[in-house]
Amino acid sequence: MTAIEVNGIRKRYGKVEALRDVSFAVKKGEVFGLIGPDGAGKTSLFRILCTLLLPDAGTAKVDGFDIISQMRDIRSRVGYMPGRFSLYQDLTVEENLHFFATLFGTTVDEGYDSIKAIYQQIERFRHRKAGALSGGMKQKLALSCALVHRPSVLFLDEPTTGVDPVSRKEFWEMLTMLRERDITILASTPYLDEVRCCERVAFLSEGQVKGIDKPDVILDRFADVFNPPPIAQPAVMNPQPARQENVIEVSHLVKAFGSFHAVDDISFTVRRGEIFGFLGANGAGKTTAMHMLTGLNQPTSGTGHVVGYDIRTEYEQIKKHIGYMSQKFSLYEDLTVAENIRLFAGIYGMNDRDIKTKTDALLERLQFAEHKDDLVGSLPLGWKQKLAFSVSIFHEPGVVFLDEPTGGVDPATRRQFWELIYDAAHRGITVFVTTHYMDEAEYCDRISIMVDGKIKAMGTPDELKGKYRQPDMDHVFTYLARQATRSSD
């Protein structure tokens, strides 16, 4: 029996044809993957199937109901979990769940059995606001909200972006439970291990379905997109005295919130031009530590220096001499490419002549010259990512902090981004990066892994794999992260 039927769907936004004659079918109870590069049209298709967006042409049915003439019937039968979650940050866990139950004309009590196995894992935090939850907990709450009305079809649009590897594995274990209840699941994901959890996948590129088959067949057929060759890291030009200089020095750093130590006595150094991976599960304390290093928050105790400035007393100077790029990027979507560059260069105190010269050179290097007057909001995700990184190091800072900069980005685009990172490090810029992609951890010169607010391990990727007798960094991370004991996550 077919649960989802898509026939000749088309969708256009102005001159951009997001979907072109898309057709496929998903069997009842199947876990079906929708994969493809950024800007392929996946989110548009999800919104059409969830009746949030009308197609320009074509037809589709969900659970036997037409997406246009019977949208009310569909909305009562589907669950939708978009990327970045669909939670209300100012409502508590319990309030979010009651709100979504009410939307679907049911109650938490009526739907409790359908979410019990998942919700019980976070129920003791029911009075905590959603905005204060870790990524893994938000994930479980969002899934509970999507399931509380007992849907027959579940749409998941990159539900694990920004979530650590251990929480991702737990999430897909939960999906396996749902499959046993005969719930049909259509999911998109940029993670190859999650792609392989699907029974079949459709590869969507430039708005068209290029192939439908078992995961390994599609991943092999389109290996240039999903499995690009690894980056050969350029040899660091040693010995250079400058490269032996420490640009980050941390000693016994603590950040406490009442009796809870988010960061609990950490010490480390990072050298000039080094690519330093700062890893940890959601809630391990790495974001809190990064906020102290970037001058956004002051420590409870301990000392730290970044590019020679004291994180306790000279945090305003630190902000002027570092670069920072978050997962959500720091660009203004309603400004053009050139206007964004000019704005941030001015904030960093660069003069007009240098701004103009370096802007022209940057646009040429990124091959953005023809798009300098395009609004940033109109750019593909991968382009925004490269522009945001380039803007963050436009003033040649001593250190650039990258907080999960490649979240939700396809492998080929991530590879291009890491080529930019290598280039920056080669020029002597220290790169301090957090990531949930363990293949990216392999690209770092050294790695630290935080567990329960402490640095549990530190070394090169090869040193850590050897020490813990694990085949790759994914296994190293999972081995250490599963030793976490504090329940506040």
Side-chain angles (χ1 to χ4, degrees):
M1 183 176 175
T2 302
I4 301 172
E5 298 177 50
V6 179
N7 296 295
I9 289 291
R10 292 177 177 270
K11 185 63 184 178
R12 177 183 290 276
Y13 302 100
K15 297 179 180 179
V16 178
E17 196 168 17
L19 295 170
R20 291 189 281 172
D21 199 26
V22 172
S23 300
F24 64 90
V26 181
K27 292 176 286 189
K28 184 173 178 57
E30 185 176 18
V31 179
F32 190 91
L34 189 63
I35 62 177
D38 306 307
K42 302 186 294 295
T43 297
S44 291
L45 186 56
F46 271 103
R47 290 174 178 169
I48 286 172
L49 294 177
C50 291
T51 73
L52 301 175
L53 188 67
L54 291 174
D56 296 329
T59 61
K61 289 185 176 182
V62 177
D63 216 16
F65 296 94
D66 184 82
I67 59 169
I68 297 175
S69 62
Q70 297 171 300
M71 62 173 60
R72 283 184 176 274
D73 296 287
I74 290 176
R75 289 175 181 175
S76 66
R77 287 169 169 80
V78 304
Y80 177 45
M81 190 171 161
R84 311 291 183 197
F85 312 125
S86 53
L87 305 172
Y88 289 89
Q89 305 295 310
D90 292 334
L91 296 183
T92 65
V93 168
E94 191 173 60
E95 289 168 342
N96 265 282
L97 194 58
H98 280 289
F99 175 77
F100 281 94
T102 303
L103 278 183
F104 290 104
T106 186
T107 66
V108 174
D109 289 341
E110 285 182 49
Y112 189 81
D113 285 344
S114 64
I115 64 171
K116 181 178 178 180
I118 299 166
Y119 185 60
Q120 277 188 335
Q121 300 177 46
I122 59 171
E123 193 168 10
R124 66 185 184 277
F125 304 109
R126 61 185 178 277
H127 299 306
R128 182 180 295 184
K129 287 187 177 182
L133 300 177
S134 71
M137 290 171 67
K138 286 180 180 176
Q139 192 184 52
K140 290 166 185 172
L141 175 57
L143 185 57
S144 297
C145 291
L147 292 170
V148 71
H149 62 296
R150 291 172 288 189
S152 55
V153 181
L154 186 60
F155 292 97
L156 307 173
D157 189 4
E158 297 191 1
T160 58
T161 295
V163 179
D164 67 80
V166 173
S167 295
R168 290 198 295 106
K169 289 181 176 71
E170 291 175 350
F171 183 82
W172 278 86
E173 288 169 1
M174 290 186 283
L175 294 187
T176 300
M177 290 191 306
L178 298 180
R179 181 187 170 194
E180 293 170 356
R181 286 159 44 188
D182 218 25
I183 295 176
T184 305
I185 298 172
L186 179 64
S188 68
T189 176
Y191 295 99
L192 301 191
D193 57 331
E194 296 182 0
V195 171
R196 293 188 174 95
C197 291
C198 301
E199 295 166 75
R200 290 187 303 143
V201 295
F203 173 51
L204 195 66
S205 180
E206 297 177 337
Q208 292 181 303
V209 174
K210 302 292 186 179
I212 300 175
D213 214 314
K214 293 181 179 179
D216 284 337
V217 174
I218 294 296
L219 294 178
D220 182 64
R221 182 177 166 191
F222 300 100
D224 56 327
V225 175
F226 298 105
N227 192 26
I231 304 171
Q233 184 171 5
V236 177
M237 298 174 63
N238 278 329
Q240 286 187 17
R243 290 197 178 264
Q244 304 307 316
E245 173 193 348
N246 288 331
V247 294
I248 298 176
E249 296 177 332
V250 172
S251 180
H252 301 291
L253 203 61
V254 173
K255 182 62 179 180
F257 299 94
S259 61
F260 174 67
H261 286 200
V263 175
D264 192 7
D265 193 16
I266 63 172
S267 301
F268 63 92
T269 59
V270 183
R271 296 185 299 274
R272 181 172 300 282
E274 186 175 19
I275 301 174
F276 187 81
F278 198 59
L279 310 184
N282 296 110
K286 61 185 187 299
T287 298
T288 303
M290 185 178 284
H291 284 173
M292 288 188 283
L293 296 178
T294 55
L296 298 175
N297 212 332
Q298 279 68 60
T300 303
S301 63
T303 61
H305 289 81
V306 176
V307 289
Y309 295 102
D310 190 314
I311 62 173
R312 281 179 168 278
T313 61
E314 299 175 296
Y315 41 84
E316 292 302 330
Q317 287 297 320
I318 288 175
K319 292 174 186 176
K320 295 177 183 177
H321 291 85
I322 64 170
Y324 180 78
M325 177 182 166
S326 69
Q327 186 181 28
K328 297 178 181 177
F329 311 138
S330 51
L331 302 171
Y332 288 89
E333 304 239 321
D334 54 353
L335 296 182
T336 66
V337 169
E339 287 169 342
N340 266 280
I341 296 172
R342 194 179 308 121
L343 171 65
F344 284 98
I347 290 173
Y348 287 123
M350 296 178 63
N351 63 56
D352 290 343
R353 181 187 297 177
D354 287 346
I355 291 174
K356 185 180 187 313
T357 302
K358 291 196 68 175
T359 296
D360 292 341
L362 174 61
L363 292 172
E364 203 64 41
R365 187 165 69 250
L366 295 179
Q367 298 180 339
F368 279 14
E370 294 181 4
H371 302 279
K372 67 178 183 179
D373 296 322
D374 291 358
L375 292 177
V376 164
S378 69
L379 300 179
L381 181 62
W383 288 28
K384 291 180 187 177
Q385 180 198 56
K386 286 184 275 191
L387 178 61
F389 177 69
S390 299
V391 166
S392 73
I393 61 171
F394 195 70
H395 58 305
E396 297 291 328
V399 185
V400 60
F401 290 88
L402 308 177
D403 192 2
E404 296 178 31
T406 56
V409 180
D410 65 81
T413 304
R414 289 198 291 113
R415 186 186 189 280
Q416 294 171 8
F417 185 80
W418 273 85
E419 289 173 345
L420 294 178
I421 289 178
Y422 277 176
D423 179 65
H426 191 69
R427 290 175 6 227
I429 297 175
T430 300
V431 179
F432 189 98
V433 57
T434 71
T435 179
H436 286 317
Y437 290 99
M438 292 301 104
D439 60 324
E440 294 184 352
E442 303 272 3
Y443 293 150
C444 298
D445 296 315
R446 281 191 306 142
I447 295 163
S448 75
I449 299 178
M450 287 190 74
V451 179
D452 290 346
K454 297 179 180 291
I455 292 179
K456 191 77 172 180
M458 185 180 297
T460 68
D462 286 342
E463 287 171 350
L464 295 181
K465 286 181 285 186
K467 179 178 180 179
Y468 296 103
R469 299 180 182 179
Q470 300 294 334
D472 52 41
M473 283 307 303
D474 183 65
H475 283 79
V476 172
F477 182 94
T478 301
Y479 172 76
L480 292 171
R482 288 198 186 279
Q483 297 178 23
T485 58
R486 67 188 188 189
S487 62
S488 58
D489 189 34

